[in-house]
Amino acid sequence: AFAKDWTEVVIGLEGAYAPWNLTNPDGTMGGFEPELAADLCKRANLKCKLVAHDWDTMIEALNANKFDIIMDAMSITPEREKVIAFSVPYAATPAGFAVLKDSPLANLPDTGKAIKLTGDATQDKAELDKLRAELKGKTIGVQTATNFANWLNANFKDVSTIREYKTTAERDLDLVAGRIDIGFDDETAFQAAFATPGNEDLVFTGPDIGGKVWGDGMGLGMRQADTDLKAKFDEAIKAALADGTDKKLALKWFKLDITP
C-alpha cells in the first residue's frame, strides 16, 4: 500500500452543535472546531473543506468516503475504534444533567460537584445508585447515537424512560415544554443551549460527570486505512496544544479550558 499524497481533505461536522460547531446565517461554519480545524489544516499544509452531515450517520458516511475526517466532539471509545481510527484528543469535557429551574429535580445530590466515573458499573456503583434513586420513574432526554445515550441506556433504562432525539435542539424544546423531566448532554453543549432564546429557564443539576466513562477525550475520526493522514493531524494537534492555540480557542468559545 502506498501513502496518499494528501493536499485537500473534507471534514464532516454537524453544523448544529454550538459552540463546538454551528452554521452561520451566511451558510459558513463557525465555532470552536471550525476555527481549530483552520489552524490544524494550516499546520498540516492541507486545504480543508467543511461539510455539514447528520450526527447519527457520521461514521457510516466517513467509511463511505463522503468526507475524510469527522470533527464533531466525537469521544474516542473502544467501540468506535473498532470501525474508525482517531487522532490524539484535542478536548475532554464533562457531561451533566439539565432541568427547568423550578423543577423538583433542580437540586439533585452533588449539584456542582465534579465526579469521575470509570465506565465500569461495579466501580461506579455508589454514584450510579445515587442517581438511579433520584431519576427513578423520570423521563430523560438525550441525543441519539452518542456516548451519553449509550450510558443512560446501560445504567438507567430499567428505572427511567430514555427518550432519544435526532438533535439536541429537539430535546431542549421538549425539556422546556415539560414533555420530559430532565436532559443529559456534554456540559459545553448545555452552556450554549442555556444562552439560546427560549431556554433561559434551564439550569444544571446533579454532578459534573467526567472521567474514563467518556473515553480518552474528543478526537478527529478517520478511516483506519488513512494512517498517513492520522500522522499529519496528530502532529498538528500536539503542536496546537503545546503552543496554547487549543486552550485559547477553548476559552474563547467555552469560557473554560477543555484541553485534554
Side-chain angles (χ1 to χ4, degrees):
F2 294 92
K4 182 175 178 179
D5 183 20
W6 293 97
T7 57
E8 182 174 355
V9 295
V10 180
I11 301 175
L13 310 92
E14 192 175 357
Y17 196 57
W20 293 86
N21 58 78
L22 52 97
T23 302
N24 295 315
D26 64 359
T28 61
M29 295 265 195
F32 170 70
E33 288 173 320
E35 290 196 5
L36 180 59
D39 178 83
L40 298 178
C41 291
K42 184 177 180 181
R43 293 177 194 268
N45 195 29
L46 292 167
K47 181 180 178 181
C48 292
K49 177 184 177 182
L50 307 183
V51 298
H53 190 85
D54 288 346
W55 165 259
D56 54 356
T57 56
M58 278 281 187
I59 290 176
E60 293 86 346
L62 172 71
N63 283 329
N65 299 312
K66 292 186 178 180
F67 39 80
D68 305 301
I69 291 174
I70 297 171
M71 191 177 194
D72 202 43
M74 182 171 280
S75 297
I76 302 166
T77 66
E79 293 75 19
R80 288 174 177 152
E81 286 181 310
K82 292 175 183 176
V83 290
I84 63 173
F86 280 97
S87 69
V88 296
Y90 59 84
T93 59
F97 293 96
V99 293
L100 288 168
K101 62 185 179 184
D102 61 356
S103 165
L105 298 175
N107 194 28
L108 289 176
D110 297 330
T111 292
K113 176 185 174 183
I115 64 172
K116 300 284 188 182
L117 298 184
T118 65
D120 182 313
T122 301
Q123 294 185 52
D124 299 338
K125 186 177 187 305
E127 296 291 354
L128 287 173
D129 284 351
K130 198 183 304 183
L131 286 168
R132 282 166 55 85
E134 295 291 335
L135 299 177
K136 185 176 182 179
K138 306 301 182 183
T139 299
I140 310 171
V142 66
Q143 187 177 23
T144 194
T146 60
N147 277 352
F148 310 128
N150 293 341
W151 182 74
L152 288 173
N153 280 308
N155 296 290
F156 295 85
K157 196 171 185 178
D158 60 327
V159 296
S160 307
T161 298
I162 312 302
R163 187 169 298 170
E164 298 189 23
Y165 294 84
K166 187 176 181 67
T167 69
T168 57
E170 292 170 337
R171 185 266 323 282
D172 296 338
L173 282 172
D174 274 6
L175 185 56
V176 170
R179 289 185 286 267
I180 58 176
D181 299 301
I182 191 167
F184 190 65
D185 207 339
D186 184 282
E187 289 195 353
T188 58
F190 268 140
Q191 284 180 336
F194 296 169
T196 302
N199 292 345
E200 295 88 350
D201 289 336
L202 294 179
V203 295
F204 283 117
T205 186
D208 308 322
I209 303 172
K212 287 293 186 181
V213 63
W214 310 130
D216 294 325
M218 287 77 167
L220 304 178
M222 287 165 274
R223 290 178 290 272
Q224 291 178 338
D226 293 337
T227 54
D228 46 350
L229 188 62
K230 170 178 160 53
K232 286 178 183 290
F233 277 97
D234 280 351
E235 183 178 345
I237 291 169
K238 289 175 184 176
L241 288 169
D243 70 9
T245 299
D246 192 291
K247 181 178 178 179
K248 179 181 177 182
L249 290 175
L251 292 173
K252 172 183 176 180
W253 286 99
F254 303 112
K255 304 298 187 288
L256 72 157
D257 180 5
I258 62 166
T259 54

